[in-house]
């Protein structure tokens, strides 16, 4: 994964259709028991590594709503699997699609400090005017 939608989200769902990995779902389809916000499935998010910026952050009308999270890699398996912020999908044949089973690409240029601090994607990639 790498992006997380914060409580600044207005649930406009503009990001859903923009996501090339179909990793974003509306609050109504969130796997979280108390899901009130548009949700990013960490086991599907690819941070749009092949684009200049993640498409969800580029389309989002709410400044600071989409932030970096830790990369979906083996190193952060416990972070995602044991988190109350995520529900990792279980595949019929592969089982739990944890970072151990299905690591995702991520932007290596984003520091682990920025990720841990959940710094805004727009702030780090200069999407907002000063």
């Amino acid at each position: 994964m790498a992006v997380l939608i914060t409580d600044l989200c207005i649930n406009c769902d503009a990001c859903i259709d923009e996501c090339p990995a179909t990793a974003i779902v509306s609050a109504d389809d969130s796997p979280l028991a108390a899901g009130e916000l548009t949700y990013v499935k960490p086991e599907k998010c690819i941070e749009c590594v092949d684009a200049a910026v993640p498409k969800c952050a580029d389309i989002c009308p709410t400044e600071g709503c989409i932030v970096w999270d830790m990369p979906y890699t083996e190193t952060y398996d416990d972070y995602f699997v044991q988190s109350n912020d995520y529900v990792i999908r279980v595949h019929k044949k592969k089982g739990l699609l944890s970072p151990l089973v299905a690591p995702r690409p991520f932007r290596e240029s984003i520091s682990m400090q920025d990720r841990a601090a959940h710094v805004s994607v727009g702030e780090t990639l200069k999407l907002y005017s000063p």
Side-chain angles (χ1 to χ4, degrees):
M1 150 106 141
V3 300
L4 175 70
I5 296 176
T6 70
D7 60 2
L8 295 175
C9 179
I10 60 171
N11 289 328
C12 70
D13 293 342
C15 55
I16 293 172
D17 290 334
E18 292 298 311
C19 181
T22 64
I24 305 173
V25 296
S26 69
D28 292 339
D29 294 326
S30 173
L32 296 174
E36 297 178 4
L37 303 172
T38 304
Y39 176 83
V40 179
K41 297 176 182 179
E43 70 276 10
K44 293 185 85 174
C45 181
I46 57 170
E47 292 189 16
C48 296
V49 295
D50 59 341
V53 297
K55 296 183 185 311
C56 57
D58 198 30
I59 195 73
C60 184
T62 308
E63 188 173 318
C65 174
I66 300 176
V67 299
W68 295 111
D69 203 357
M70 305 315 286
Y72 203 73
T73 60
E74 186 174 328
T75 303
Y76 297 99
D77 188 72
D78 287 345
Y79 176 83
F80 287 100
V81 173
Q82 297 176 11
S83 172
N84 291 327
D85 295 328
Y86 300 108
V87 174
I88 309 303
R89 187 167 65 99
V90 177
H91 187 272
K92 290 179 184 178
K93 294 181 181 176
K94 296 179 184 177
L96 185 69
L97 294 176
S98 73
L100 290 173
V101 174
R104 307 305 297 158
F106 67 98
R107 292 174 185 261
E108 295 180 22
S109 61
I110 306 302
S111 74
M112 292 304 144
Q113 292 81 9
D114 283 350
R115 290 175 180 279
H118 291 148
V119 172
S120 165
V121 170
E123 182 182 324
T124 57
L125 299 178
K126 310 295 186 241
L127 293 180
Y128 312 128
S129 301

